[in-house]
Amino acid sequence: MPPSLYARAAVGLTLCFAGGLALAAPAPAPGTPPGFNVHRVAAHERGAVWRGGAPRKDTLAALAASAKARWVTVTLIDLRTPPNTDDRSGKAGRLAPKDEAALAAKLGLRYLPVSALSKELPSRIEEAARQGDVYMHCMYGVNRTGFAVARYARATGREVDREGLGKRDWSQGFAFQGAQAARKPAGK
């Protein structure tokens, strides 16, 4: 067991024995993290699913601080896979994929590059949400995130906040996920 888990277990046992308290699920993530075009997509018992533009350093710092205070994990789902020249630019303080991965590791955040077209995208989002907060992003927080949010909503049946999502991105993502679900596995 990693040292941080020992510390958490010790604090939890102390609280349970000393005060007779039961540990409850952490409260949903407070406030919107700073960044470009950031919106909360969904809340769940462990935290929130956010979507937005590529994070800046202060975005990751805010996500890390909020998660640490609530003892949850943050997973960064980078939809810039494979990254193009614009994605790698660092424009307006946005972190390029390699810089984001390095800072995420330093702050104790999970970094997961996944294509918006990946068959596993909805299950990856759902798995990450069970562990805490999710920050899903592309470069600008519009097209790929809108498409990915629609896929997530269709695959899971979850109600999501569609604020700022383009109608075209939503409809294409929703249709794409429906087609994915309708496909039969090879050999069947």
Side-chain angles (χ1 to χ4, degrees):
M1 185 181 287
S4 63
L5 290 178
Y6 280 116
R8 290 180 182 175
V11 169
L13 288 173
T14 302
L15 287 173
C16 286
F17 288 116
L21 301 174
L23 295 177
T32 301
F36 299 99
N37 201 22
V38 179
H39 297 277
R40 188 173 78 177
V41 171
H44 53 86
E45 70 179 38
R46 299 282 296 162
V49 176
W50 302 93
R51 64 111 181 142
R56 305 178 309 217
K57 290 178 182 178
D58 62 338
T59 310
L60 296 189
L63 288 165
S66 173
K68 184 177 182 179
R70 294 176 294 114
W71 292 18
V72 298
T73 300
V74 173
T75 302
L76 305 167
I77 297 181
D78 188 349
L79 300 171
R80 299 173 296 174
T81 302
N84 61 40
T85 303
D86 196 35
D87 293 336
R88 292 187 298 269
S89 70
K91 187 184 297 182
R94 293 173 175 94
L95 295 168
K98 68 178 180 72
D99 299 325
E100 179 182 351
L103 184 56
K106 183 178 177 181
L107 294 173
L109 309 177
R110 292 179 62 222
Y111 176 76
L112 181 62
V114 179
S115 168
L117 299 172
S118 170
K119 184 178 180 178
E120 291 82 29
L121 178 67
S123 62
R124 293 280 185 94
I125 298 168
E126 193 70 358
E127 175 189 324
R130 285 192 294 271
Q131 298 175 32
D133 295 335
V134 177
Y135 185 81
M136 175 175 37
H137 70 86
C138 56
M139 184 62 172
Y140 300 102
V142 183
N143 304 114
R144 288 173 278 191
T145 58
F147 184 84
V149 168
R151 290 192 60 203
Y152 171 65
R154 176 120 191 212
T156 63
R158 291 191 184 275
E159 290 290 321
V160 298
D161 185 348
R162 293 171 54 179
E163 181 181 345
L165 295 178
K167 288 181 183 180
R168 184 200 68 200
D169 302 322
W170 176 268
S171 63
Q172 287 177 349
F174 203 79
F176 180 87
Q177 188 59 36
Q180 287 287 313
R183 287 192 181 137
K184 293 182 180 181
K188 298 225 175 189

